Amino acid sequence: MLQAPLGRTGRKVSAIGLGTWQFGGDWGEVGEADALEVLSAAAAAGVTLLDTADVYGDGRSESIIGRFLAERPGHGITVATKMGRRVEQKPENYTPERFREWTTRSRQNLRVDILDLVQLHCPPSAVIEADETYAALDELVAEGVLAAYGVSVETCAQALAAISRPNVTNVQIILNPFRLKPLEEVLPAAAAAGVAVLARVPLASGLLSGRYTSATTFAPSDHRSYNRHGEAFDRGETFSGVDYAVGLEAAARLASVLPDGVSLPAASLAWVASRPGVTSVIPGARTVAQARGNAEAAKLIDGGFDLAAFDAAVHEVYDDLLRSAVHPLW
């Protein structure tokens, strides 16, 4: 598995990581035994970055990862967690006291003394822009509570604001063939600043899996049922904010240009991972087969697949079907 520097931390992480939102229940139920098998398969395939958050299953995702890693001393895996969504999303709720409370809870869940990387979890723009935010985070680093910090964002403007801060290790942002705006300014700015970029929702909540049809249904507890229009959180987190039917059409067009033996999810992951400035891509996986397939996509990055041709198709489909609805919003 290809490895890339995680900003200025001195760590390296795999080009394909593993997102673990699905262990928290918002993608339908994933049993703990199944989650542990997914983690084991990902680690065996060379994945060295796990992304989680304190609100995924109210700490369930963190706790499962903590159990998994506690049984594997010397594992060499970096855990990037997130904090800030346990309160109403008002700037005044982001205080040093809350930061300490949240990181203490995450340390307990993950069974560690020092958190590898803590990211603010898509906070309001005012939080990202405030000097006090970074002073509080710097204090936690100085105390040895966390090794590094970053910001997960919804918009490109938020990403650029975070990148401008000298001690930000990474930004996490949605980037996939249905969300191209970060290519314009965010990736170049991050690369120039030495800030890592973690690309989330790389398969557009499964639309780029090639498995869904107009007849596909999702469990009521799955955000792809209850958040299609932003009922619970930013709608851009669900199918990248793309209309489901339009997304199916776009996915079919992209699949049609692929050579035999290359799947749409593998091509999409390799495309994202190969964009200059991207450090790691963090797709989720509910099964061992998905975890292995995601990791295998790394083999397409530097051989055996015409990424330039796929990139041209991505831009053509985006311009034809998606740009007008998606590009102005995030």
Side-chain angles (χ1 to χ4, degrees):
M1 176 75 74
L2 295 171
Q3 306 283 319
L6 181 63
R8 298 175 289 271
T9 64
R11 294 172 176 261
K12 288 190 174 182
V13 295
S14 51
I16 307 291
L18 177 69
T20 64
W21 184 7
Q22 69 279 7
F23 297 166
D26 289 313
W27 297 76
E29 182 60 31
V30 178
E32 184 167 337
D34 292 332
L36 291 169
E37 288 183 359
V38 167
L39 288 168
S40 182
V47 168
T48 60
L49 175 66
L50 304 177
D51 181 79
T52 185
D54 60 359
V55 291
Y56 294 168
D58 194 24
R60 182 175 187 259
S61 176
E62 286 184 330
S63 295
I64 290 172
I65 292 171
R67 173 183 168 184
F68 175 77
L69 295 181
E71 298 171 355
R72 292 163 175 79
H75 49 74
I77 291 173
T78 294
V79 178
T81 192
K82 297 186 285 295
M83 67 177 183
R85 305 294 293 191
R86 302 185 64 79
V87 294
E88 188 176 359
Q89 293 300 286
K90 295 181 177 180
E92 58 265 29
N93 287 333
Y94 283 77
T95 65
E97 294 75 22
R98 286 244 167 83
F99 287 2
R100 191 174 304 281
E101 172 191 332
W102 297 333
T103 53
T104 296
R105 187 174 184 273
S106 289
R107 289 160 63 204
Q108 293 169 347
N109 287 341
L110 289 165
R111 307 187 192 186
V112 297
D113 294 324
I114 304 173
L115 297 168
D116 296 335
L117 173 63
V118 175
Q119 302 155 103
L120 295 178
H121 198 171
C122 299
S125 294
V127 174
I128 298 173
E129 296 165 0
D131 293 343
E132 294 81 4
T133 297
Y134 303 97
L137 292 168
D138 286 337
E139 181 63 25
L140 292 175
V141 172
E143 291 178 11
V145 172
L146 53 97
Y149 63 79
V151 185
S152 185
V153 302
E154 298 287 5
T155 70
C156 290
Q158 290 174 338
L160 293 171
I163 289 167
S164 71
R165 296 290 175 162
N167 295 329
V168 164
T169 290
N170 81 295
V171 293
Q172 183 179 138
I173 192 168
I174 294 174
L175 174 61
N176 61 54
F178 293 172
R179 183 75 74 85
L180 302 190
K181 192 172 181 179
L183 301 178
E184 296 175 353
E185 293 185 69
V186 173
L187 296 189
V195 171
V197 173
L198 307 186
R200 74 172 186 278
V201 198
L203 298 180
S205 305
L207 270 177
L208 288 162
S209 70
R211 297 184 292 109
Y212 299 160
T213 70
S214 59
T216 301
T217 60
F218 303 94
S221 62
D222 191 315
H223 73 101
R224 292 170 293 183
S225 289
Y226 67 75
N227 192 60
R228 290 197 183 188
H229 305 288
E231 295 90 337
F233 42 81
D234 190 278
R235 70 181 180 88
E237 298 286 345
T238 302
F239 299 130
S240 294
V242 172
D243 175 79
Y244 185 72
V246 175
L248 290 177
E249 180 183 356
R253 280 184 55 177
L254 290 176
S256 72
V257 307
L258 296 175
D260 291 343
V262 176
S263 70
L264 179 58
S268 298
L269 292 175
W271 176 84
V272 177
S274 66
R275 298 307 89 192
V278 170
T279 303
S280 186
V281 186
I282 47 174
R286 289 168 48 89
T287 68
V288 166
Q290 289 173 352
R292 290 173 177 162
N294 291 344
E296 284 286 311
K299 296 180 180 179
L300 298 178
I301 296 173
D302 55 4
F305 177 55
D306 191 344
L307 278 166
F310 187 67
D311 179 61
V314 164
H315 283 270
E316 179 180 322
V317 170
Y318 185 79
D319 288 342
D320 286 351
L321 298 178
L322 307 170
R323 178 181 287 274
S324 61
V326 174
H327 208 79
L329 298 181
W330 294 283

